[in-house]
Amino acid sequence: AQTVTQSQPEMSVQEAETVTLSCTYDTSESDYYLFWYKQPPSRQMILVIRQEAYKQQNATENRFSVNFQKAAKSFSLKISDSQLGDAAMYFCAVRGGSEKLVFGKGTKLTVNP
Amino acid sequence: DAEITQSPRHKITETGRQVTLACHQTWNHNNMFWYRQDLGHGLRLIHYSYGVQDTNKGEVSDGYSVSRSNTEDLPLTLESAASSQTSVYFCASSGTGTGGTEAFFGQGTRLTVV
C-alpha cells in the first residue's frame, strides 16, 4: 500500500517570499509518479507539478519547484515569489502501477499581503 | 474541449434515501475514480474503474456502489444515505498505462445528509 504524509496542516507566507511545503511518502513500487495539486476555494483540483521517480532532476514549473529525495522518500514543494493567488490547499499525491492517486491530508497555505 | 463534469454541484438528502451522483467525461479515458474529501482526511478513494464493466473497491467503499456501462460515465450510488456520508465528492479520470500524465478532476459535489 502507498501512503503520503503532509506534516504541516497550515502554513503562511508573506507575499513575494518563498515557502516550502513538506511531503513524505511510502511505496514498495519502483516505478511511480509524484504530484502536487492545488485546491483554491473554488474546489477545483489543479495540477501544479509532477515528478517521475526515475528522473533525478527536480521538476520545475515557473515559480514552483520540487526537492525530490528518492532515498528519503521526500517530495517537497517550493513556491517562490508567493502571490495572493497561491493561497489554497495543497495536496501531495503518489501514483504507481495501479493508476490510483493516493493523497496526503493537505496543507492550507495562507499568503499575507 | 474535453472535460469531466459532475452533477449536481450541491445536494441535500435525507438519511436512508438512495442518492446517485453523476460523473461524465469526454476525454475518452479508461480510468475513472471517485474520491471523497473530508477535513483532516484529504481525498480518499471510494471506487474506481479501469474500463467498461470493470469496478473496484477503494479504501472507503462501504455504503457506496458504482457501475460502468460505457466509457464516459461512472455514477456513484449511496445505497442508503447516512450522516457520515456528508462530504465533498470528486470524480477523476486518466488515461491507461500513462501513470505520469495528468488525472483530470470534476468540480466536485457537496452532499449533505440530514
Side-chain angles (χ1 to χ4, degrees):
Chain A
Q2 297 169 321
T3 61
V4 176
T5 302
Q6 294 180 247
S7 59
Q8 306 152 316
E10 297 187 20
M11 293 280 287
S12 64
V13 63
Q14 292 296 127
E15 198 175 1
E17 297 294 309
T18 296
V19 65
T20 298
L21 308 184
S22 301
C23 173
T24 58
Y25 64 94
D26 193 21
T27 179
S28 58
E29 299 189 44
S30 58
D31 186 16
Y32 57 91
Y33 298 82
L34 296 159
F35 304 83
W36 277 98
Y37 278 87
K38 170 185 178 181
Q39 187 184 46
S42 67
R43 254 185 5 219
Q44 184 64 46
M45 294 290 286
I46 302 166
L47 178 65
V48 174
I49 198 164
R50 71 170 66 91
Q51 174 80 43
E52 295 88 339
Y54 63 86
K55 287 188 177 180
Q56 292 186 335
Q57 185 174 3
N58 289 325
T60 299
E61 289 287 343
N62 300 313
R63 297 182 294 107
F64 299 87
S65 61
V66 299
N67 183 4
F68 175 44
Q69 301 291 327
K70 190 171 183 178
K73 294 184 177 177
S74 172
F75 183 61
S76 60
L77 175 69
K78 185 172 81 171
I79 306 174
S80 304
D81 186 25
S82 296
Q83 301 176 0
L84 295 177
D86 295 333
M89 283 291 290
Y90 286 82
F91 292 99
C92 179
V94 63
R95 184 171 169 185
S98 70
E99 307 283 1
K100 296 180 290 184
L101 274 167
V102 176
F103 289 89
K105 294 182 179 182
T107 297
K108 181 179 181 180
L109 178 66
T110 301
V111 181
N112 301 310
Chain B
D1 289 346
E3 61 181 0
I4 178 167
T5 57
Q6 294 181 233
S7 61
R9 292 295 307 278
H10 302 89
K11 185 170 182 64
I12 300 174
T13 191
E14 294 179 342
T15 300
R17 288 193 179 270
Q18 184 180 78
V19 176
T20 296
L21 309 183
C23 176
H24 180 80
Q25 53 98 2
T26 58
W27 290 99
N28 198 34
H29 285 158
N30 285 325
N31 303 330
M32 295 185 73
F33 309 88
W34 273 104
Y35 292 88
R36 61 177 288 174
Q37 181 180 9
D38 304 288
L39 195 62
H41 290 279
L43 281 79
R44 293 180 291 174
L45 185 62
I46 305 172
H47 281 287
Y48 59 102
S49 168
Y50 291 134
V52 176
Q53 302 301 330
D54 176 76
T55 61
N56 306 279
K57 294 182 178 180
E59 65 176 305
V60 289
S61 61
D62 287 349
Y64 303 93
S65 64
V66 293
S67 61
R68 187 89 179 270
S69 59
N70 58 51
T71 299
E72 295 79 19
D73 300 289
L74 187 70
L76 177 71
T77 297
L78 286 68
E79 304 294 344
S80 176
S83 58
S84 60
Q85 295 176 308
T86 292
S87 186
V88 178
Y89 292 86
F90 285 95
C91 180
S93 72
S94 67
T96 300
T98 51
T101 60
E102 184 173 359
F104 294 91
F105 284 79
Q107 320 94 302
T109 295
R110 181 177 295 279
L111 177 68
T112 303
V113 182
V114 298

